[in-house]
Amino acid sequence: MLYKRSSELFAKAQQVLPGGVNSPVRAFNAVGGNPIFIKEAAGAYLTDEDGRKYIDYIASWGPLILGHAYPPVIEAVTERAKKGTSFGIPTEVEVQIAELAVAMVPNIDKIRFVNSGTEACMSAIRLARGYTGREKIIKFIGCYHGHSDAFLIEAGSGGATFGTPNSPGVTQGTAKDTLLANYNDLASVKALFEANPQQIAGVIIEPVAGNMGCVLPQEGFLEGLRQLCTENGSLLIFDEVMTGFRLAKGGAQEVFGIRADIVTFGKVIGGGLPVGAFAANKEIMSYLAPEGPVYQAGTLSGNPLAMSAGLAMLTALNEHPEVYESLAKKTAYLHQGFEEVLQRAGIPHQINSFGSMFTLFFTESPVTNFVSSSKSDTQRFKRYFHGMLREGIYLPPSSFESYFLNDAITYDDLDKTIKALNRVVLEL
Ligand SMILES: Cc1ncc(COP(=O)(O)O)c(C=O)c1O
């Protein structure tokens, strides 16, 4: 049996963890079968509890842009741990990482560190509401901004995977303040502004979406949002939990040349430890406690271990910006390799990729929003996923996710992946 020990562990896990996991997509519900349990990882490779090795295309869902157990991060965390793991009192490393983040990202003066992307987005809309004195927000169908109540309305990622976009437990009262627009559809945003004059605190968006699979903003879309927000006195919030420090040092703001009013971070900023953050200019951030009235706090926020990991990661990216070009080239190589194999096999498909984000959809029509993403053939995806897993290629276990390439992946790994697809297409 290929996954013997993982299966045994999953059986035990189901007795004590709901669904056997601590985050839903990990359970493989969308693809069937049991999840593999990971023993260790280094560079581009995961090793499971049965000793099988996999080329990893998830990178812990994004954080590990330079590969697993990246030595400078491991050293920073190890050294820091020896001096104590948490104080709940300010530390120098918080100032160092804040200075670096503010220098790397355009249009931000101050940053507040939290423990997850969820917390970052949740706090960002509270800040937007406090700053504007308005209550409603606009989000896009298929975008995911973490699991706080206001965002679990037509959310992507696990929400989309399980077909329960409106989770029980989210009240009607909360839902009524979250207005829904269609990705890449400025007219839908304009209509919401017109129907709710002076009521919209902010528009939150994944500037390159990753939670309905990778979906790119069409030309003029982000610019149009910027303009609509400015005209209506609303804040534009870029959720850069995926894209921040991944698409470029300065994230999507830098790549597209668009100024957001508030930016949220997670994933890469923590180097693989639990970190999130939100940032803005001085004026907006002055509304945040203790400087201003908008409350936000956290026992482990700015935790020295997590900050040391994040600082080591951001330092590496800041000193080696060529990583972004390297990743983009590798992603383009994979894109082309997959394209050739799928075309030869005559399998209907669309590949969306941008920077180091990538998704293969099993559909004929271009994927530009949640509706078109949902047309992807999920049965074929299951066969694809399990076929690639058997070949030692670890992909996200849902078609509503983006792959995240890490720079430890070599061209040899990419060739292995393309050859694996060549065999797997025969079963699709
Ligand atoms: C764009 C985006 N925002 C927010 C989140 C939530 O982050 P976290 O899972 O760290 O709470 C995610 C998680 O995948 C995300 O992709």
Side-chain angles (χ1 to χ4, degrees):
M1 195 178 163
L2 282 184
Y3 312 112
K4 184 168 178 293
R5 189 154 157 71
S6 283
S7 301
E8 287 165 2
L9 284 170
F10 191 50
K12 278 197 204 178
Q14 284 170 300
Q15 301 302 314
V16 285
L17 298 167
V21 291
N22 281 307
S23 193
V25 178
R26 295 180 201 167
F28 276 22
N29 285 13
V31 289
N34 292 340
I36 55 168
F37 278 60
I38 297 304
K39 188 172 188 168
E40 58 188 20
Y45 282 80
L46 298 166
T47 305
D48 74 10
E49 287 284 353
D50 292 283
R52 289 171 53 84
K53 283 183 94 176
Y54 306 83
I55 303 173
D56 181 21
Y57 285 93
I58 302 191
S60 185
W61 301 97
L64 306 174
I65 190 167
L66 300 175
H68 290 274
Y70 180 62
V73 170
I74 302 302
E75 274 158 35
V77 172
T78 312
E79 285 311 305
R80 181 67 251 181
K82 291 178 193 161
K83 298 175 189 155
T85 57
S86 181
F87 314 115
I89 302 172
T91 52
E92 185 177 8
V93 66
E94 293 164 79
V95 186
Q96 291 169 328
I97 186 173
E99 282 175 346
L100 183 54
V102 165
M104 288 171 80
V105 177
N107 312 319
I108 63 169
D109 299 321
K110 291 189 179 178
I111 185 164
R112 166 66 54 89
F113 286 95
V114 294
N115 304 285
S116 67
T118 295
E119 245 189 282
C121 296
M122 178 186 86
S123 308
I125 56 163
R126 185 180 305 143
L127 180 58
R129 285 168 164 158
Y131 179 77
T132 58
R134 300 174 179 183
E135 298 201 343
K136 295 188 192 300
I137 56 157
I138 294 177
K139 83 172 274 286
F140 292 86
I141 298 171
C143 282
Y144 178 69
H145 306 290
H147 63 89
S148 80
D149 286 3
F151 297 127
L152 276 189
I153 326 274
E154 303 269 353
S157 189
T161 305
F162 302 116
T164 53
N166 299 290
S167 170
V170 175
T171 64
Q172 286 303 317
T174 299
K176 80 173 181 9
D177 287 330
T178 301
L179 308 176
L180 300 169
N182 295 315
Y183 205 86
N184 279 324
D185 179 359
L186 276 179
S188 71
V189 183
K190 203 157 180 246
L192 290 174
F193 271 117
E194 280 166 9
N196 299 274
Q198 309 289 319
Q199 292 175 62
I200 295 168
V203 176
I204 186 164
I205 185 157
E206 292 176 57
V208 174
N211 286 295
M212 43 186 155
C214 177
V215 173
L216 280 53
Q218 288 171 338
E219 181 117 22
F221 178 57
L222 296 175
E223 288 83 351
L225 281 185
R226 175 64 277 174
Q227 200 181 337
L228 281 172
C229 285
T230 305
E231 285 167 5
N232 289 282
S234 298
L235 301 187
L236 178 61
I237 306 169
F238 268 11
D239 177 350
E240 298 230 36
V241 168
M242 278 184 178
T243 52
F245 305 102
R246 173 163 281 279
L247 298 184
K249 277 201 222 181
Q253 284 196 102
E254 178 187 322
V255 173
F256 297 108
I258 310 260
R259 284 169 171 260
D261 298 304
I262 304 181
V263 190
T264 64
F265 300 102
K267 301 187 190 276
V268 175
I269 200 170
L273 268 79
V275 179
F278 57 105
N281 66 23
K282 274 192 204 116
E283 193 204 330
I284 295 173
M285 290 307 265
S286 73
Y287 275 66
L288 199 63
E291 222 174 303
V294 176
Y295 196 69
Q296 195 285 326
T299 299
L300 289 173
S301 292
N303 169 269
L305 272 193
M307 295 293 96
S308 302
L311 180 61
M313 177 62 90
L314 297 197
T315 302
L317 295 171
N318 194 40
E319 288 173 1
H320 299 284
E322 68 278 6
V323 156
Y324 294 110
E325 207 186 319
S326 159
L327 277 165
K329 279 189 182 153
K330 288 175 185 175
T331 307
Y333 186 85
L334 187 73
H335 189 141
Q336 197 186 331
F338 267 38
E339 192 67 58
E340 283 167 14
V341 173
L342 291 158
Q343 266 179 27
R344 236 185 352 256
I347 292 173
H349 67 279
Q350 294 289 326
I351 298 175
N352 286 353
S353 72
F354 193 87
S356 50
M357 295 168 69
F358 178 107
T359 301
L360 160 61
F361 300 92
F362 292 111
T363 172
E364 231 142 28
S365 36
V367 177
T368 57
N369 57 22
F370 186 61
V371 171
S372 43
S373 155
S374 306
K375 288 190 182 135
S376 189
D377 181 340
T378 47
Q379 292 308 318
R380 181 164 265 163
F381 181 83
K382 285 183 194 179
R383 295 192 289 276
Y384 161 69
F385 172 80
H386 282 291
M388 295 298 272
L389 191 68
R390 273 194 303 276
E391 291 278 349
I393 313 293
Y394 197 85
L395 304 176
S398 157
S399 55
F400 291 106
E401 304 289 354
S402 173
Y403 311 2
F404 296 105
L405 271 72
N406 70 75
D407 204 43
I409 293 178
T410 61
Y411 283 92
D412 187 42
D413 295 328
L414 294 170
D415 285 334
K416 279 186 192 149
T417 308
I418 295 163
K419 280 187 189 143
L421 181 66
N422 228 332
R423 289 185 288 272
V424 168
V425 283
L426 302 174
E427 312 158 14
L428 294 184

